[in-house]
Amino acid sequence: MGEFMTETQQSPLSAVEGPRPDQGPAPVGRHGPPDGQEAAVILERARASVDPELRRAVESLPASTRRIALYHFGWQHADGTPAAGNPGKAIRPALVLAAAGALGGHRTTAVRAAAAVELVHNFTLLHDDVMDRDATRRHRPTAWAVFGDADAVLAGDSLQALAHRLLADDPHPASSAAAARLASCVVELCAGQHADTVMERRGPDDITLDEVLAMAEAKTGALLGCACALGALYAGADEAEVEALDAFGREAGLAFQFIDDVIGIWGDPTRTGKPAGADLMARKKSLPVVAALTADTQAAAELTELYRLPYRDGDLERTILAVERAGGRDWAQTQAADRMARALDHLSCAVPDPEAAGGLLSLAEYVTRRSE
């Protein structure tokens, strides 16, 4: 579950190694290729709207878990002193607010729902970092690396509980339906994470593309879809519109995951805040890797042999080249564009007016042009 860039928007390929002539253009919307400024403004406004609600929720936690949550969001250092850190790009709360606005609702009435989605997202980050043993997030040590596994897990549990309490306390008429939908989404997120951990214990020739795509939709697409659906609910949308926006978010989420996995292999660690090739060293079966493993080529066979063994010093460059030569990178890029096209089709069903859909279009385009 990655984050989004805040600077110039470009295709991930150009961010890694310059333009590639064999790649088609990234998807664009009604105004042609965006410069990222519109989405940056939307994200900044979402952060400004949602952060006060998030802070109030986190400050209500008992001191033992509050300090961990404040550290995780970048609001405190490990010693408890104030910090002006990076709490993330707020893409999920921005989707809630943009979806509400696109369907004629008032964004301000959906702020609690947006904060609830952001709390659930951060619950998953805290838990994922423990399970994946990721030692760095947002350019500093992860919560478990500072406070230990148990404290990080309990802080994550607390954030999930806060999310549901925000909706339970919300007097908005859509809050009950939103709470039920968010709870179902959490169940799906957990199922996706379980599928991911099970896959890591299986051999490199024992994973299918269908399995990894279903896992990615549950882990990443589900929450983006839920964010859009909650915004629609708070706008008073009908069932068809809610489901169309959920489908839009899911497809955009899959496009994001394809890009995220590409960046995880070929991205610049000074921009991503994570070591280059960390997933390959951990033998993670990301989308490009599984596509490469299932290709009937010599490079796929070489990658399979590499993945059968624990990582050894000097293997990283060979592994990266094997994934690329087996077609994993190109396949992931093509799939990202295809998923974004599907997302825009679903969006046009719910919000046929491009002007009304402008915020959601900008955020969707933003997904395909991130480089960290």
Side-chain angles (χ1 to χ4, degrees), residues 9 23 32 34 47 102 154 197 214 223 233 239 250 264 275 278 291-293 305 313 327 331 337 348 361:
Q9 293 299 302
Q23 280 303 142
R47 186 92 270 165
L154 291 169
T197 57
L223 189 55
L233 286 170
E239 183 177 352
R250 283 174 179 269
L293 286 169
E305 290 307 308
D313 287 343
W331 177 82
S348 67
L361 282 168

Short mmCIF file of all heavy atoms in Angstrom, two decimals, residues 9 23 32 34 47 102 154 197 214 223 233 239 250 264 275 278 291-293 305 313 327 331 337 348 361:
data_model
loop_
_atom_site.label_atom_id
_atom_site.label_comp_id
_atom_site.label_asym_id
_atom_site.label_seq_id
_atom_site.Cartn_x
_atom_site.Cartn_y
_atom_site.Cartn_z
N GLN A 9 4.61 15.47 -11.74
CA GLN A 9 4.06 14.19 -12.15
C GLN A 9 4.74 13.73 -13.42
O GLN A 9 4.92 14.48 -14.36
CB GLN A 9 2.55 14.34 -12.42
CG GLN A 9 1.75 14.63 -11.18
CD GLN A 9 1.87 13.54 -10.17
OE1 GLN A 9 1.55 12.41 -10.47
NE2 GLN A 9 2.35 13.85 -8.99
N GLN A 23 6.94 2.15 -24.68
CA GLN A 23 5.79 2.27 -23.79
C GLN A 23 4.80 3.28 -24.36
O GLN A 23 5.20 4.35 -24.79
CB GLN A 23 6.22 2.75 -22.41
CG GLN A 23 6.80 1.65 -21.54
CD GLN A 23 5.87 0.50 -21.31
OE1 GLN A 23 6.32 -0.63 -21.28
NE2 GLN A 23 4.59 0.73 -21.18
N GLY A 32 -6.10 16.56 -21.36
CA GLY A 32 -4.79 16.13 -21.82
C GLY A 32 -3.89 15.84 -20.64
O GLY A 32 -4.34 15.78 -19.50
N PRO A 34 -1.97 16.03 -17.49
CA PRO A 34 -2.00 17.03 -16.42
C PRO A 34 -0.60 17.33 -15.93
O PRO A 34 0.31 16.54 -16.07
CB PRO A 34 -2.81 16.34 -15.32
CG PRO A 34 -2.51 14.89 -15.52
CD PRO A 34 -2.33 14.69 -17.00
N ARG A 47 -5.88 17.12 3.02
CA ARG A 47 -5.05 17.01 4.21
C ARG A 47 -5.44 18.07 5.24
O ARG A 47 -5.56 17.78 6.44
CB ARG A 47 -3.60 17.19 3.80
CG ARG A 47 -2.57 16.97 4.88
CD ARG A 47 -2.09 15.55 4.90
NE ARG A 47 -2.89 14.70 5.78
CZ ARG A 47 -2.87 13.38 5.78
NH1 ARG A 47 -2.10 12.73 4.94
NH2 ARG A 47 -3.62 12.68 6.61
N ALA A 102 -18.46 15.19 -6.38
CA ALA A 102 -18.81 14.85 -7.75
C ALA A 102 -20.28 14.50 -7.90
O ALA A 102 -20.88 14.71 -8.97
CB ALA A 102 -17.95 13.67 -8.22
N LEU A 154 -0.65 -3.02 18.36
CA LEU A 154 -1.72 -2.48 19.20
C LEU A 154 -2.10 -1.06 18.78
O LEU A 154 -3.29 -0.69 18.82
CB LEU A 154 -1.29 -2.51 20.66
CG LEU A 154 -1.18 -3.92 21.27
CD1 LEU A 154 -0.51 -3.86 22.62
CD2 LEU A 154 -2.56 -4.56 21.38
N THR A 197 0.59 -13.31 2.53
CA THR A 197 1.55 -14.02 3.39
C THR A 197 1.62 -15.51 3.03
O THR A 197 2.69 -16.11 3.09
CB THR A 197 1.17 -13.87 4.88
OG1 THR A 197 -0.17 -14.34 5.09
CG2 THR A 197 1.25 -12.41 5.30
N ALA A 214 -6.08 -11.06 -7.65
CA ALA A 214 -7.14 -11.05 -6.63
C ALA A 214 -6.60 -10.54 -5.30
O ALA A 214 -7.27 -9.77 -4.59
CB ALA A 214 -7.72 -12.46 -6.47
N LEU A 223 -9.77 -0.66 -0.52
CA LEU A 223 -9.89 0.54 0.30
C LEU A 223 -10.10 1.79 -0.57
O LEU A 223 -10.84 2.69 -0.18
CB LEU A 223 -8.68 0.71 1.20
CG LEU A 223 -8.80 1.82 2.25
CD1 LEU A 223 -10.04 1.65 3.12
CD2 LEU A 223 -7.56 1.89 3.13
N LEU A 233 -22.03 7.66 -0.76
CA LEU A 233 -23.06 7.49 0.25
C LEU A 233 -23.36 8.82 0.95
O LEU A 233 -24.53 9.17 1.18
CB LEU A 233 -22.63 6.45 1.30
CG LEU A 233 -22.66 4.99 0.86
CD1 LEU A 233 -21.97 4.11 1.90
CD2 LEU A 233 -24.10 4.52 0.65
N GLU A 239 -27.85 3.25 -5.27
CA GLU A 239 -27.00 2.05 -5.17
C GLU A 239 -26.11 1.88 -6.40
O GLU A 239 -24.94 1.52 -6.28
CB GLU A 239 -27.87 0.81 -4.98
CG GLU A 239 -27.06 -0.47 -4.80
CD GLU A 239 -27.93 -1.69 -4.54
OE1 GLU A 239 -29.16 -1.52 -4.35
OE2 GLU A 239 -27.39 -2.81 -4.53
N ARG A 250 -11.60 0.72 -7.18
CA ARG A 250 -10.89 -0.56 -7.21
C ARG A 250 -9.95 -0.64 -8.41
O ARG A 250 -8.79 -1.08 -8.28
CB ARG A 250 -11.89 -1.73 -7.24
CG ARG A 250 -12.53 -2.02 -5.91
CD ARG A 250 -13.60 -3.09 -6.02
NE ARG A 250 -14.17 -3.36 -4.71
CZ ARG A 250 -13.73 -4.29 -3.87
NH1 ARG A 250 -12.72 -5.06 -4.21
NH2 ARG A 250 -14.30 -4.46 -2.69
N GLY A 264 8.85 -0.16 -6.82
CA GLY A 264 9.54 -0.95 -5.81
C GLY A 264 10.77 -1.65 -6.34
O GLY A 264 11.69 -1.96 -5.58
N PRO A 275 14.79 1.01 0.55
CA PRO A 275 15.94 0.48 -0.18
C PRO A 275 15.53 -0.02 -1.56
O PRO A 275 14.46 -0.60 -1.74
CB PRO A 275 16.43 -0.67 0.70
CG PRO A 275 15.83 -0.43 2.05
CD PRO A 275 14.54 0.29 1.81
N ALA A 278 14.09 -3.89 -2.40
CA ALA A 278 13.86 -4.56 -1.12
C ALA A 278 12.92 -5.76 -1.27
O ALA A 278 13.14 -6.82 -0.66
CB ALA A 278 13.31 -3.58 -0.10
N ALA A 291 4.24 -12.03 -13.08
CA ALA A 291 4.10 -12.03 -14.54
C ALA A 291 5.37 -12.59 -15.18
O ALA A 291 5.30 -13.37 -16.15
CB ALA A 291 3.84 -10.61 -15.04
N ALA A 292 6.52 -12.20 -14.65
CA ALA A 292 7.78 -12.71 -15.19
C ALA A 292 7.96 -14.19 -14.92
O ALA A 292 8.41 -14.96 -15.78
CB ALA A 292 8.94 -11.91 -14.60
N LEU A 293 7.61 -14.61 -13.70
CA LEU A 293 7.77 -16.02 -13.33
C LEU A 293 6.91 -16.94 -14.20
O LEU A 293 7.29 -18.09 -14.47
CB LEU A 293 7.39 -16.22 -11.86
CG LEU A 293 8.38 -15.72 -10.81
CD1 LEU A 293 7.74 -15.74 -9.42
CD2 LEU A 293 9.67 -16.55 -10.82
N GLU A 305 14.75 -19.90 -10.62
CA GLU A 305 15.87 -20.47 -9.88
C GLU A 305 16.39 -19.50 -8.82
O GLU A 305 16.72 -19.90 -7.70
CB GLU A 305 16.99 -20.86 -10.85
CG GLU A 305 16.66 -22.06 -11.71
CD GLU A 305 16.20 -23.26 -10.89
OE1 GLU A 305 16.93 -23.63 -9.93
OE2 GLU A 305 15.13 -23.82 -11.17
N ASP A 313 24.19 -11.77 -1.49
CA ASP A 313 24.83 -10.55 -1.96
C ASP A 313 25.24 -10.70 -3.42
O ASP A 313 25.84 -11.72 -3.81
CB ASP A 313 26.06 -10.23 -1.12
CG ASP A 313 25.70 -9.72 0.27
OD1 ASP A 313 24.54 -9.32 0.46
OD2 ASP A 313 26.57 -9.75 1.16
N GLY A 327 9.67 -9.86 -19.17
CA GLY A 327 8.49 -9.08 -19.54
C GLY A 327 7.68 -8.55 -18.39
O GLY A 327 6.61 -7.96 -18.60
N TRP A 331 4.66 -5.71 -18.87
CA TRP A 331 3.31 -6.20 -18.58
C TRP A 331 2.64 -5.33 -17.52
O TRP A 331 1.47 -4.97 -17.65
CB TRP A 331 3.38 -7.65 -18.11
CG TRP A 331 2.04 -8.22 -17.71
CD1 TRP A 331 1.09 -8.74 -18.53
CD2 TRP A 331 1.52 -8.31 -16.38
NE1 TRP A 331 0.00 -9.16 -17.80
CE2 TRP A 331 0.24 -8.90 -16.47
CE3 TRP A 331 2.00 -7.96 -15.13
CZ2 TRP A 331 -0.56 -9.14 -15.35
CZ3 TRP A 331 1.22 -8.20 -14.01
CH2 TRP A 331 -0.05 -8.79 -14.13
N ALA A 337 -2.20 0.89 -17.41
CA ALA A 337 -2.97 1.71 -18.34
C ALA A 337 -4.36 1.12 -18.59
O ALA A 337 -5.36 1.84 -18.64
CB ALA A 337 -2.21 1.86 -19.66
N SER A 348 -17.47 7.29 -15.55
CA SER A 348 -18.40 7.95 -16.47
C SER A 348 -19.83 7.45 -16.29
O SER A 348 -20.78 8.18 -16.58
CB SER A 348 -17.95 7.75 -17.91
OG SER A 348 -18.05 6.39 -18.30
N LEU A 361 -11.10 12.58 -11.59
CA LEU A 361 -10.25 12.37 -12.76
C LEU A 361 -8.81 12.78 -12.46
O LEU A 361 -7.86 12.07 -12.80
CB LEU A 361 -10.78 13.16 -13.96
CG LEU A 361 -11.98 12.56 -14.69
CD1 LEU A 361 -12.57 13.60 -15.64
CD2 LEU A 361 -11.58 11.31 -15.46
#
